[in-house]
Amino acid sequence: MQYPSIGLQGVSLGEKISCELRLQIIKGSIKLGTVLSENQIAAEFNASRSPVREALKTLSNEGLIRLERMGAVVLGLTPKDIEELCDVRCLIETFVIQRLSAMDHEGLIHTLNKTIDKMEMAAKHRDFVELSYQDLYFHEVMIHEADHTRILHLWNNIRYIVFTALLVATERRIVEETHEIEPLIEKHRLLVSALISKDSNYIQKVVQEHYEDTRKTVNNTVLNPKNL
Amino acid sequence: MQYPSIGLQGVSLGEKISCELRLQIIKGSIKLGTVLSENQIAAEFNASRSPVREALKTLSNEGLIRLERMGAVVLGLTPKDIEELCDVRCLIETFVIQRLSAMDHEGLIHTLNKTIDKMEMAAKHRDFVELSYQDLYFHEVMIHEADHTRILHLWNNIRYIVFTALLVATERRIVEETHEIEPLIEKHRLLVSALISKDSNYIQKVVQEHYEDTRKTVNNTVLNPKNL
DNA sequence: CATAGTATACCTGTATACAACTTGATTTTT
DNA sequence: AAAAATCAAGTTGTATACAGGTATACTATG
């Protein structure tokens, strides 16, 4: 699998390189502990050091690599990282939904339901890229709607990691057929119900369970692929 | 005021430039809406575009500027930003303290108390740089101790903004003498008590009040300076 | 044999060069 | 006079060049 070419239109070479590297790191094609050098990556991508440098800084900001004096060591996504990522998403989303529940969110509910429908469609057609994208979109649209620049920034900092991990996990989930898609859909419907309820405790509970579940699934697919 | 030269030793030119620009933006020396170009900044700092480019990307990641096709527009720190920053800090710190309270934190308590003492010392000597730094350190040491890489990443994304805003606010607070320092010290002692209590509700309450207060103070000093 | 010193190759940070594109004004045309 | 075309200045994205530092391997010397 290569990074979906959609969404790479018109973006700079540096971003393309960061997307490709990110995918390879999360997929495990690039092993943990590997030391990358700017020249080496530049050669691999037939590019100059400038965009590579930009890409490495991006990945460093995302915590996938650590820039050192000489070379960038690959940190990758450990089980601890997945856990922590879920912690953060849970924190953000609890905050966001609580905030949304105090706002007018009639249109949002509609959008969310429509997105879930699209997820079902994508699942039927085994289109894991589309399914991943709609999954991402579901959460992202809530965050945008919450109209909180800082929270949005936090999200943007993990957005690409989340999407890429989602891509990898969803592909394996669909290919291996070991995980049902139906529970995934149901989980998202629960989130909508939480938003509608406006019940702070219920929201907290639902979001926490959502990410409890995500944690397990991702751990089982991203980190323990059967076909590696 | 220039950015404190301590902590700029050995760092790259790009980082120095980002620190200086950040300070100027937060202080208001660079007005909101200003459009910065790489060439212009490079000329001002007698540097080439490479480090400037790096600095602009950093500031963009922090949300202080927005990179556009042509030029980078300065967003600055609006009252809404301050509010939101406090929201995020509150979210992070509540999580961190709750996590810490379930760990062995004997040594940490000692460090925190020592830091508060240093804050008192710095306040007596009207050393606002030191006071700001110890304030930052107080919160930072807790976050580090919580041993949560992702949360630490979130913190690192706002760390420089927080420190710079703290610098500006603390300077004005000390110079104008309109705000007492004693309440600030007391607020931090309360946080320690919250950590010791291990009482989830109490922790939430104390942290929330802490940032409620921070919000007010920073708004009154950073955004409404009397000597501007 | 061990160790100090050196040489070499490589890496990063910064500067400079170049090409494609955007923007705004000026000129030409209708 | 208004609109279209063109031209000029400036901007970003990328490539390349150079300087200073670091690690590794090899050599010489005790």
Side-chain angles (χ1 to χ4, degrees):
Chain A
M1 174 176 63
Q2 273 203 335
Y3 195 85
S5 57
I6 180 70
L8 249 53
Q9 313 282 32
V11 310
S12 76
L13 185 50
E15 292 179 72
K16 287 181 194 162
I17 293 178
S18 66
C19 284
E20 201 56 49
L21 284 178
R22 190 186 296 111
L23 178 60
Q24 291 188 24
I25 292 175
I26 292 181
K27 268 181 71 181
S29 310
I30 301 181
K31 300 267 187 314
L32 306 207
T34 310
V35 175
L36 309 173
S37 95
E38 295 180 1
N39 280 316
Q40 165 213 340
I41 307 282
E44 279 175 30
F45 283 89
N46 267 98
S48 75
R49 277 179 53 211
S50 306
V52 172
R53 196 176 172 75
E54 184 191 327
L56 290 185
K57 204 191 170 194
T58 299
L59 297 182
S60 161
N61 268 328
E62 294 177 358
L64 288 176
I65 65 177
R66 185 181 58 233
L67 262 38
E68 299 195 338
R69 296 269 192 95
M70 306 203 58
V73 314
V74 174
L75 302 176
L77 272 192
T78 64
K80 182 164 183 276
D81 279 312
I82 303 274
E83 291 242 341
E84 293 183 349
L85 223 37
C86 287
D87 284 344
V88 168
R89 289 189 68 188
C90 184
L91 222 52
I92 291 178
E93 205 147 311
T94 304
F95 180 87
V96 162
I97 296 188
Q98 302 233 1
R99 192 175 158 100
L100 284 171
S101 68
M103 300 166 62
D104 172 35
H105 53 245
E106 195 183 335
L108 175 61
I109 300 282
H110 184 69
T111 307
L112 292 178
N113 282 326
K114 206 167 65 181
T115 306
I116 296 179
D117 289 346
K118 285 189 188 168
M119 284 175 71
E120 270 190 310
M121 282 286 287
K124 253 182 207 145
H125 294 76
R126 307 188 151 273
D127 182 347
F128 70 90
V129 173
E130 175 72 5
L131 179 51
S132 305
Y133 180 72
Q134 294 298 339
D135 191 338
L136 185 84
Y137 183 75
F138 178 92
H139 299 278
E140 191 158 69
V141 76
M142 284 198 292
I143 294 170
H144 273 100
E145 207 70 15
D147 187 37
H148 195 294
T149 316
R150 274 297 140 190
I151 292 286
L152 180 57
H153 256 86
L154 297 190
W155 167 251
N156 282 334
N157 261 267
I158 59 172
R159 188 192 120 98
Y160 283 104
I161 296 187
V162 168
F163 180 56
T164 307
L166 217 51
L167 266 181
V168 175
T170 309
E171 180 186 24
R172 292 186 176 145
R173 181 184 243 194
I174 283 191
V175 167
E176 298 177 5
E177 301 188 21
T178 50
H179 299 269
E180 289 299 329
I181 302 296
E182 192 50 44
L184 178 72
I185 306 291
E186 213 44 54
K187 272 169 49 187
H188 284 80
R189 296 217 186 274
L190 260 181
L191 282 176
V192 175
S193 83
L195 172 56
I196 294 176
S197 80
K198 302 190 184 184
D199 175 344
S200 181
N201 290 325
Y202 182 61
I203 291 173
Q204 180 131 15
K205 176 170 158 283
V206 168
V207 176
Q208 241 157 36
E209 281 174 6
H210 184 101
Y211 285 105
E212 202 84 26
D213 221 64
T214 303
R215 196 173 324 211
K216 281 182 206 153
T217 311
V218 176
N219 260 312
N220 285 333
T221 47
V222 172
L223 299 164
N224 305 315
K226 298 204 171 130
N227 55 350
L228 202 77
Chain B
M1 174 174 63
Q2 273 205 334
Y3 195 84
S5 58
I6 182 69
L8 250 53
Q9 312 283 29
V11 310
S12 77
L13 184 53
E15 293 180 71
K16 286 179 194 164
I17 293 177
S18 66
C19 284
E20 200 57 47
L21 284 179
R22 189 185 297 110
L23 178 60
Q24 292 187 24
I25 291 175
I26 292 181
K27 267 181 71 180
S29 310
I30 301 181
K31 298 268 186 316
L32 306 207
T34 310
V35 175
L36 309 172
S37 96
E38 295 180 0
N39 279 318
Q40 165 213 341
I41 307 282
E44 280 176 30
F45 283 88
N46 267 100
S48 76
R49 275 179 54 210
S50 307
V52 171
R53 198 175 171 75
E54 184 191 327
L56 290 185
K57 204 190 171 195
T58 300
L59 297 181
S60 161
N61 268 327
E62 294 177 358
L64 288 176
I65 65 177
R66 186 179 60 232
L67 261 39
E68 299 195 336
R69 294 273 187 92
M70 306 205 56
V73 315
V74 175
L75 303 177
L77 273 193
T78 64
K80 181 161 182 279
D81 278 312
I82 303 274
E83 289 243 342
E84 293 183 350
L85 223 37
C86 286
D87 284 343
V88 169
R89 289 188 68 187
C90 184
L91 222 53
I92 291 179
E93 205 147 310
T94 304
F95 180 88
V96 162
I97 297 188
Q98 302 233 1
R99 192 174 158 100
L100 285 170
S101 68
M103 301 166 60
D104 172 34
H105 53 244
E106 195 183 335
L108 175 61
I109 301 282
H110 184 70
T111 307
L112 293 177
N113 282 326
K114 206 166 65 183
T115 306
I116 297 180
D117 289 346
K118 284 188 189 169
M119 286 175 70
E120 272 191 309
M121 281 285 288
K124 253 182 208 146
H125 294 75
R126 309 186 151 272
D127 182 346
F128 70 90
V129 174
E130 174 73 6
L131 178 52
S132 305
Y133 179 73
Q134 294 300 339
D135 191 338
L136 186 84
Y137 183 74
F138 178 92
H139 299 277
E140 189 157 71
V141 76
M142 284 198 292
I143 295 170
H144 274 100
E145 207 69 16
D147 188 37
H148 194 294
T149 316
R150 272 299 139 190
I151 293 286
L152 181 57
H153 256 85
L154 298 191
W155 167 249
N156 282 335
N157 260 266
I158 58 171
R159 189 192 119 98
Y160 282 103
I161 296 186
V162 169
F163 179 56
T164 307
L166 217 51
L167 266 180
V168 175
T170 309
E171 180 186 25
R172 292 185 177 147
R173 179 182 246 195
I174 282 192
V175 167
E176 297 178 6
E177 300 189 22
T178 50
H179 298 270
E180 287 299 326
I181 303 297
E182 191 51 42
L184 177 71
I185 306 291
E186 212 45 54
K187 271 169 48 187
H188 284 81
R189 296 213 188 276
L190 260 181
L191 283 175
V192 175
S193 84
L195 172 55
I196 294 177
S197 79
K198 302 190 183 183
D199 175 343
S200 182
N201 290 326
Y202 183 60
I203 291 173
Q204 181 131 15
K205 176 170 157 283
V206 168
V207 175
Q208 243 159 35
E209 283 174 5
H210 183 101
Y211 284 105
E212 201 84 26
D213 219 66
T214 302
R215 195 172 325 211
K216 281 182 209 155
T217 311
V218 175
N219 260 312
N220 285 333
T221 48
V222 173
L223 299 165
N224 305 317
K226 299 206 173 128
N227 53 350
L228 204 77

